[in-house]
Amino acid sequence: MFLIDMFNKKTTMPEPQHALKGREAAFPTSSHHFVNGRPLQGPFDGAMQRVVFAMGCFWAAERLFWTMDGVSVTAAGYQGGYTLNPTHQEVTTGLTGHAEAVLVVFDPQVVTLETLLARFFEGHDPTQGMRQGQDIGTAYRSAVFASTSEQQAIAEAVRERYRQQLQQAGRSSSVTTEITLGGPFYYADAAHQQYLARNPGASCGLRGTGVACVL
């Protein structure tokens, strides 16, 4: 296979019938959040809401949210594709359709979805399509996977607001962020959970546009 063919495969969503099949059994992951000690997979308090963000490398993306007041739990994982219980290696081939993603469980009485969305849009470059910096492929696309139609509508409104703000700042206003009602979220294995807290010397090249998302 030519290098250009490999590149194109990674940057094009696979057809469902051509995606890797995966497996029925979920991979084990951490039982508790490394930073705050809360159960990583719940049960979550009934007052909490869930939203999933994809914005490139999930190591740095997860850290953006666990530092916020009102965020109870974050977790690294995969969403938006077709493969059952994918591995990290499978996701990065582009053959699963999944994006590296971060589950955010939050208390809407303390932090609003709009505030989380502002952190999301400011924390990466949502104009790059199937890439984020040097990370190239469908796994690194920008996406919001909403839990409800109300969340989806709020995310669409903030996306449009940020598109206008990028345009006013003289930046590309072609925001490629996918916003949809989320399907299954698959937890990444324990080694990827709260990675930058477990490995203080590690880095992850996530960069924003420098344009504030003003709500």
Side-chain angles (χ1 to χ4, degrees):
M1 180 181 289
F2 292 109
L3 183 61
I4 189 64
D5 294 328
M6 295 174 65
F7 176 84
N8 288 337
K9 181 172 286 189
K10 286 189 67 173
T11 57
T12 302
M13 286 289 287
E15 295 294 332
Q17 66 271 24
H18 296 145
L20 298 176
K21 299 301 181 186
R23 57 208 49 86
E24 291 296 329
F27 288 99
T29 191
S30 304
S31 60
H32 289 76
H33 197 280
F34 182 80
V35 177
N36 61 36
R38 298 189 181 106
L40 202 67
Q41 300 185 66
F44 303 122
D45 186 288
M48 298 293 174
Q49 292 186 16
R50 298 163 52 114
V51 65
V52 175
F53 297 115
M55 50 193 297
C57 171
F58 54 14
W59 295 346
E62 187 183 7
R63 185 171 61 182
L64 285 176
F65 295 102
W66 81 53
T67 59
M68 297 180 71
D69 290 340
V71 172
S72 177
V73 173
T74 60
Y78 315 106
Q79 192 155 349
Y82 312 110
T83 301
L84 294 175
N85 296 299
T87 66
H88 185 258
Q89 184 177 19
E90 289 171 341
V91 170
T92 56
T93 66
L95 298 177
T96 73
H98 291 292
E100 287 195 12
V102 175
L103 169 67
V104 178
V105 181
F106 66 100
D107 184 346
Q109 298 301 313
V110 179
V111 62
T112 64
L113 178 60
E114 288 91 341
T115 299
L116 295 174
L117 285 161
R119 176 66 61 94
F120 164 77
F121 280 112
E122 291 175 354
H124 74 304
D125 185 341
T127 70
Q128 293 192 2
M130 297 296 184
R131 68 180 298 161
Q132 199 61 213
Q134 294 183 344
D135 292 326
I136 299 172
T138 56
Y140 303 107
R141 69 190 188 271
S142 175
V144 178
F145 300 104
S147 293
T148 65
S149 55
E150 180 181 8
Q151 281 191 353
Q152 183 178 11
I154 291 171
E156 289 170 348
V158 175
R159 178 181 62 185
E160 173 57 20
R161 194 174 308 153
Y162 194 57
R163 185 196 68 76
Q164 295 174 6
Q165 290 164 359
L166 287 172
Q167 187 175 45
Q168 291 166 4
R171 297 293 300 263
S172 170
S173 61
S174 179
V175 176
T176 59
T177 304
E178 166 191 351
I179 298 175
T180 185
L181 286 173
F185 174 83
Y186 298 104
Y187 284 82
D189 59 78
H192 290 294
Q193 301 300 340
Q194 299 82 61
Y195 185 88
L196 295 186
R198 296 175 188 271
N199 302 274
S203 62
C204 186
L206 202 60
R207 299 286 185 274
T209 63
V211 177
C213 182
V214 181
L215 299 174

